[in-house]
Amino acid sequence: MSILHNSLTRRRSLALAAGALAVALGATACGGGDPSTPALPGKPAGGGDLIQAILDAAPVATDAEIPAGSTMEAIRKRGQLIIGGSLDAPLLAQQNPVTGQVEGFDADLAKLLAKYITGKPEVKTVTIGTQTREAMLQAKSVDAVFQTYTITPQRATQVAFAGPYLTSGLAVAVRKDDTSIKSAKDLNGKTVIVGANTPAVTALPEVAPDAKQVAFATDPQAIQALLQNRGDAYVQDFTLLASGAKANPGMKVVGEPFTSEPYGIGINREDAQFKEFVNNWLKKIQADGTWAKVWKATLGSVVEGDAPTPPVIGSVEGS
């Protein structure tokens, strides 16, 4: 049984705050449900298209909530929400090789927002690296970014954040046979892989000032670098590391998350109206239980127990 699973019991005693999602995802590396029925993101083990049922029942904005000349009206006329995101993050946003659909917590929230605006869960995903998100939003190449996008005051000077809609934290992954690194404190003197333009770039020196950083543009590139011995460890958000460990048995997550990472939906900084609209939609799907249902059908499909309490909208600096 993996370290992720062994640490789950310890983390259950923590309050539902920054580490809540990380606690829940501790079981990811071990999987969950009926092992004879492997789950795809959005389709939990045991069968049944829960996400489709959630989408069918999801709310749609009234005409009064879609002002003339607004971003929402442009999206409704287009009939499709265009987002910046990923296609390769299990449980968060991964393209199903059978259906071609992008599935997971982030992807399905984007579908819900698309339905709220247009009446249909039609989403076009533009794959982007962490270093290009701000530029894509500023250029209005995408309507929003759904990509475990951590809210920070520095980023908030360039983009607007709706949310937070989920909370996690930075953690450490190593190769499965590595026993020398047990937590972030063991990274001094090590070569550590980080995602370009992610919070790990600034957070790592605070816990391991003598670590050498090597940056990669995407999560899959970083994972491959770790598995190919181009670094001793990989520091990234726990949700991404957990999904990575699920898909790559050659890696494991060690220790506890050592930061609090609130995720926001990235929006063009000049579009305060769209930010308010998205925040109101988030409050609505939290209040009516839709948010919890999506969590249970995706991230929660590998975890026993209830969905965590979603974070309070506007509760962190930069949101």
Side-chain angles (χ1 to χ4, degrees):
M1 188 167 292
S2 72
I3 289 176
L4 283 174
H5 185 83
N6 290 337
S7 65
L8 178 60
T9 301
R10 298 195 306 273
R11 288 196 290 268
R12 285 183 190 271
S13 62
L14 298 176
L16 282 173
L21 178 61
V23 173
L25 285 175
T28 302
C30 290
D34 181 357
S36 66
T37 316
L40 287 170
K43 297 190 177 182
D49 196 341
L50 300 183
I51 288 296
Q52 187 58 53
I54 294 168
L55 289 170
D56 288 344
V60 178
T62 65
D63 290 343
E65 294 174 294
I66 309 290
S70 66
T71 297
M72 299 80 79
E73 184 189 48
I75 295 169
R76 179 172 279 190
K77 286 182 176 179
R78 186 196 307 144
Q80 182 184 61
L81 178 70
I82 302 175
I83 69 162
S86 303
L87 299 175
D88 49 18
L91 304 177
L92 292 163
Q94 183 179 41
Q95 190 164 35
N96 187 312
V98 177
T99 66
Q101 290 292 310
V102 187
E103 302 168 340
F105 187 79
D106 279 353
D108 292 324
L109 280 187
K111 292 175 189 176
L112 285 169
L113 178 58
K115 182 180 180 184
Y116 191 64
I117 299 172
T118 71
K120 301 176 295 181
E122 297 294 331
V123 176
K124 176 182 178 181
T125 300
V126 178
T127 56
I128 56 177
T130 56
Q131 76 276 22
T132 62
R133 293 183 291 202
E134 288 83 9
M136 295 286 281
L137 286 169
Q138 290 167 356
K140 299 184 179 181
S141 300
V142 296
D143 300 315
V145 169
F146 285 77
Q147 197 185 35
T148 57
Y149 201 178
T150 303
I151 301 170
T152 68
Q154 180 180 8
R155 285 177 173 170
T157 64
Q158 301 179 68
V159 301
F161 285 104
Y165 70 94
L166 194 65
T167 306
S168 186
L170 290 175
V172 180
V174 297
R175 288 178 292 279
K176 194 157 189 177
D177 59 357
D178 189 319
T179 59
S180 65
I181 299 174
K182 297 179 174 61
S183 72
K185 295 180 181 179
D186 298 322
L187 297 178
N188 273 318
K190 304 291 187 179
T191 298
V192 180
I193 297 163
V194 297
N197 193 31
T198 67
V201 174
T202 54
L204 179 61
E206 295 181 5
V207 294
D210 295 329
K212 176 185 175 183
Q213 291 190 21
V214 180
F216 289 86
T218 68
D219 186 58
Q221 290 174 356
I223 290 174
Q224 285 305 305
L226 175 66
L227 297 177
Q228 294 167 1
N229 295 305
R230 287 188 277 164
D232 301 304
Y234 176 29
V235 171
Q236 179 57 284
D237 186 89
F238 190 95
T239 57
L240 293 178
L241 294 183
S243 63
K246 181 178 177 68
N248 298 275
M251 64 180 279
K252 62 184 179 183
V253 182
V254 295
E256 304 287 344
F258 60 92
T259 67
S260 173
E261 304 294 337
Y263 295 156
I265 298 169
I267 292 169
N268 182 284
R269 190 167 182 267
E270 305 304 318
D271 201 341
Q273 185 183 45
F274 189 40
K275 174 181 174 177
E276 181 181 9
F277 176 88
V278 175
N279 274 335
N280 288 336
W281 162 75
L282 283 171
K283 292 174 184 176
K284 183 171 291 189
I285 65 170
Q286 288 178 358
D288 68 10
T290 301
W291 185 97
K293 290 177 183 177
V294 174
W295 191 92
K296 285 292 291 181
T298 55
L299 294 169
S301 67
V302 294
V303 181
E304 294 182 356
D306 296 332
T309 301
V312 176
I313 306 303
S315 60
V316 299
E317 186 179 1
S319 64

